Amino acid sequence: MITRGEMTRVRRVCVAAWGGAAVSWELSTPGMLVPSLATCAAFLLLATGCALHIRRGLLAELHRSQEIAGAAQRALLRPLPGRIDGLTLAAAQLSASRGAAVGGDLYEAVPTAHGIRVVIGDVRGHGLPALGAAAAVLGAFREAAYDEPSLGAVLRRMERALGRHVRDRARAEHPSACPAEPESPAAEEFVTVLLLQIGPDDTLTALNCGHPWPYLIRPAPEPCAARSRGSTPATAPRTHPAAAGRRLRAGLRPEPGTGERPPQRAPDVRALDGETLPPLGVVPLPPDPGAQACGELRPGETLFLHTDGAEDARDPAGRFFPLRSVLARAPLTPARLVAGVHAALLRHTGGRPTDDVALLVVRNDRY
């Protein structure tokens, strides 16, 4: 896709080349100087008019292409609702292909009779070429999540959809070599997938096919939890505000019982862990891929789901993105958490990520 900056450079080069050729021709031709300069000016005006006409056409074509791409991208990755059955959600996607808003990463969350079912995945490759496999897997999840009673059955439907996509792509790329079912498809693709189910009782079950496990973020316990809310012991001495300010400027800790706000503690960030199956498309699934219990998502706790493009992102010096430490400092509001990690990723990579990144945050607000 041609960007606005590329069009500007092309237009300037064309005008400069045409003008340079016209001036060189006129000045090298014998004759009077004034008529030659007038002819050069006429050539330059003509070149500028042609460049402006071409610019308007290219801008209109770029605008139409952006509208079509935006509609396709919104159909693939629909905006998640801000709240589903007491859970607060937020998500974002960062494509490694310039000019594209989505790529090979996928995510979705749907309310079902069995609980809230969430999927996040990563197609082999990145950018626009991986859209086909992402659309096939995501479409199968959106259908099967409502119908199938178990996560294993949902995963099988997604595997079959990926297999059909791979076979159809192989036939399209090599129709003469694949008149029937291709045994060794030319379009080999695989997808890492993480399926989660959050039950009505806050139980958490998962099926992982080669995908990074999510982070569970627990807010730090409030200090002096045994003390009644908003109360202060009668025997605790009070410190004058000016004295408290002098202690803070001197780098001293506030005195206990002075009513000063204690320093905020960092939340507890830990990665979930469990059995991991191979990615979809590498080997067939086992006969009964049973989901495993992963504890509970208690009220106030947050799940941070991501693709490997987040932890594998590097800065110009080759250092990996410190995702866990960023999560420990980021706010726990899902929308602000996604925005903060997204901005930190762009700063770390200098605005040029080498792989697609998908982020999905789920917080339990059932009180």
Side-chain angles (χ1 to χ4, degrees):
M1 183 182 294
I2 301 176
T3 62
R4 193 180 297 269
E6 291 174 346
M7 287 194 301
T8 303
R9 287 193 295 269
V10 170
R11 186 174 67 253
R12 289 175 180 173
V13 170
C14 291
V15 172
W18 195 342
V23 171
S24 301
W25 173 263
E26 289 296 331
L27 294 180
S28 62
T29 302
M32 299 185 67
L33 181 60
V34 175
S36 298
L37 292 178
T39 306
C40 292
F43 270 113
L44 288 176
L45 288 175
L46 180 61
T48 303
C50 292
L52 291 176
H53 178 71
I54 295 173
R55 176 180 181 272
R56 283 194 295 268
L58 289 176
L59 282 176
E61 181 181 356
L62 176 61
H63 184 66
R64 287 192 298 269
S65 300
Q66 288 176 338
E67 286 183 345
I68 295 172
Q73 292 163 355
R74 287 190 297 271
L76 176 62
L77 283 184
R78 300 177 299 196
L80 293 180
R83 194 175 180 88
I84 301 179
D85 191 20
L87 303 180
T88 304
L89 297 92
Q93 211 272 350
L94 179 63
S95 176
S97 295
R98 187 173 59 176
V102 298
D105 291 350
L106 56 102
Y107 57 80
E108 183 63 287
V110 294
T112 70
H114 314 284
I116 309 299
R117 287 180 170 175
V118 181
V119 64
I120 187 168
D122 186 2
V123 180
R124 171 181 173 266
H126 62 267
L128 297 177
L131 278 178
V137 172
L138 195 54
F141 170 80
R142 287 169 175 163
E143 288 288 335
Y146 294 99
D147 302 333
E148 301 295 342
S150 65
L151 288 182
V154 175
L155 190 62
R156 282 197 170 278
R157 293 268 293 271
M158 297 168 65
E159 182 190 38
R160 289 198 295 267
L162 177 63
R164 286 193 299 269
H165 165 76
V166 169
R167 290 191 294 270
D168 292 343
R169 180 174 170 181
R171 293 194 195 97
E173 293 180 352
H174 302 277
S176 60
C178 300
E181 292 290 331
E183 295 182 1
S184 298
E188 294 181 355
E189 293 194 30
F190 61 85
V191 184
T192 66
V193 170
L194 175 65
L195 285 177
L196 289 175
Q197 178 174 298
I198 305 170
D201 56 350
D202 299 334
T203 56
L204 188 63
T205 54
L207 258 177
N208 193 335
C209 293
H211 198 83
W213 283 95
Y215 285 99
L216 178 63
I217 306 175
R218 291 173 174 167
E222 296 184 2
C224 302
R227 183 182 300 171
S228 61
R229 187 174 300 176
S231 64
T232 304
T235 58
R238 291 186 174 273
T239 303
H240 193 273
R246 287 194 298 269
R247 290 184 61 84
L248 290 175
R249 287 191 294 271
L252 301 177
R253 293 183 178 180
E255 294 180 353
T258 60
E260 300 175 27
R261 191 172 185 178
Q264 296 293 326
R265 296 179 58 186
D268 178 26
V269 180
R270 65 181 183 90
L272 297 182
D273 196 5
E275 181 183 358
T276 302
L277 300 173
L280 292 183
V282 175
V283 295
L285 286 174
D288 185 18
Q292 52 187 315
C294 297
E296 295 180 346
L297 183 64
R298 299 185 180 93
E301 295 182 346
T302 302
L303 271 179
F304 183 87
L305 293 78
H306 63 285
T307 56
D308 59 1
E311 290 184 314
D312 293 345
R314 301 194 184 200
D315 61 5
R319 295 185 294 265
F320 287 103
F321 180 65
L323 180 58
R324 184 190 289 264
S325 61
V326 171
L327 292 178
R329 299 191 303 267
L332 293 181
T333 305
R336 296 178 62 187
L337 179 59
V338 168
V341 175
H342 189 275
L345 268 169
L346 289 178
R347 289 194 302 268
H348 187 80
T349 59
R352 296 181 178 179
T354 58
D355 195 6
D356 300 330
V357 178
L359 309 174
L360 175 59
V361 176
V362 180
R363 187 179 67 185
N364 188 351
D365 288 334
R366 298 168 178 170
Y367 290 102

